[in-house]
Amino acid sequence: MTRVQKQIAIVTGAARGIGAAVARRLAADGFAVVINYASSSAEADALVETLERAGHTAIAVKADVSKAEDVRQMFDATEQKLGKVDVLVNNAGIMKVMPLAETSDGVFEQTFSINVQGTFNTLREAATRMNIGGRIVNFSTSVVGTNLPGYAIYAGTKAAVETFTRIFAKEMRGRNITVNAVAPGPIATDLFLTGKSDELIQQFTKAAPLERLGQPEDIANAVSFLAGPDGGWVNGQILRANGGLV
Ligand code: NAP
């Protein structure tokens, strides 16, 4: 079994978007990083290569977070190749924007299975397999606060994640593991930009008092704080990183 001296961080959905920025930031912070992906295999390999070229430690591990067996195997692969996990970032997620009345059973099930069951699967595994003193960062959304029409199913999944966060933080008593969530506002990634007109993007851009779209690095900074030495006394909290939107 290969073991590294560094602390180990799993970032789900880390091949692209916010997850990739989080992986880059945690690698720069000194973590050995697991780049989890579901379908973006080429992007995951490219990110591993970039991080290794910069002198960091990274591996890519394929797992659909909505499948408990995939998640078990991701923890197995991490332990075999790097060691026990210190940080888990539950970034993987999907969003389909449409009125509740127009939402199909399929979209409802897929959104809950990735966003909610995916988070449940990794938390359950982490409960017994993470190192004492570990950090967990879940992903919510500021739409839980803005309650925009069209976001009922998506925001519903993230409201569940927020509740998991608060309760799981208490269930980790005795293991010195913190559990928090970041709740971004609009961030310039595929998830936010896809399907929106320039005009709508402009509206979102101006909505927060800081009057810009968030960048993946803005969220990576918040995750780095919660996962790093300065965030150790923050536990069971939801951090809305959104330029003051709500
Ligand atoms: P994105 O650019 O669409 O990327 C989504 C990521 O999730 C991809 O890496 C994707 O991996 C991964 N993923 C999807 N289904 C998966 C599955 N079943 N198993 C494993 N990975 C899976 O989205 P993003 O904007 O970076 O969003 C990241 C997180 O931030 C999400 O939880 C999202 O809800 C939250 N968020 C985003 C915004 C925003 O405005 N962008 C705002 C608030 C909250 P593959 O490519 O390998 O499939």
Side-chain angles (χ1 to χ4, degrees):
M1 185 188 298
T2 317
R3 290 202 171 262
V4 294
Q5 294 302 311
K6 297 175 169 189
Q7 288 206 314
I8 294 151
I10 292 179
V11 183
T12 66
R16 59 193 180 85
I18 296 171
V22 169
R24 282 193 295 271
R25 175 59 193 262
L26 293 184
D29 289 349
F31 290 94
V33 182
V34 176
I35 311 292
N36 159 252
Y37 66 95
S39 57
S40 299
S41 146
E43 290 90 338
D45 288 344
L47 182 52
V48 167
E49 207 184 311
T50 305
L51 292 176
E52 284 181 340
R53 247 189 280 118
H56 304 308
T57 306
I59 58 170
V61 178
K62 182 179 166 82
D64 176 343
V65 294
S66 70
K67 297 186 175 144
E69 189 49 37
D70 279 23
V71 169
R72 256 192 296 278
Q73 285 173 11
M74 174 171 72
F75 275 77
D76 290 346
T78 303
E79 288 172 3
Q80 278 159 19
K81 291 182 181 156
L82 298 173
K84 279 181 83 168
V85 176
D86 298 288
V87 169
L88 167 66
V89 182
N90 274 319
N91 162 82
I94 60 163
M95 176 179 84
K96 307 269 165 75
V97 182
M98 63 193 75
L100 184 150
E102 291 167 24
T103 303
S104 67
D105 291 350
V107 165
F108 179 90
E109 280 161 19
Q110 189 194 27
T111 312
F112 270 82
S113 77
I114 294 174
N115 295 4
V116 181
Q117 196 159 8
T119 300
F120 160 71
N121 285 335
T122 58
L123 293 181
R124 186 172 55 180
E125 216 56 39
T128 53
R129 300 178 72 160
M130 265 180 96
N131 273 324
I132 302 279
R135 305 286 175 82
I136 297 174
V137 183
N138 292 326
F139 266 67
S140 179
T141 170
S142 293
V143 178
V144 170
T146 54
N147 293 305
L148 291 179
Y151 290 78
I153 308 309
Y154 174 68
T157 65
K158 297 300 193 176
V161 168
E162 292 197 2
T163 297
F164 289 1
T165 301
R166 294 191 183 96
I167 293 177
F168 198 61
K170 293 178 180 167
E171 292 179 355
M172 287 297 95
R173 178 185 289 270
R175 301 204 53 211
N176 195 23
I177 291 173
T178 66
V179 187
N180 294 289
V182 287
I187 305 293
T189 66
D190 292 346
L191 179 136
F192 168 73
L193 296 168
T194 303
K196 290 194 177 70
S197 64
D198 289 349
E199 195 190 355
L200 189 54
I201 291 168
Q202 271 312 307
Q203 275 178 31
F204 277 106
T205 302
K206 294 284 176 204
L210 296 186
E211 293 193 311
R212 67 170 175 83
L213 276 188
Q215 295 300 319
E217 290 71 24
D218 291 316
I219 304 307
N221 291 344
V223 173
S224 167
F225 165 69
L226 293 170
D230 293 342
W233 192 235
V234 181
N235 193 17
Q237 304 301 313
I238 315 299
L239 176 56
R240 285 193 182 151
N242 59 25
L245 180 68
V246 64

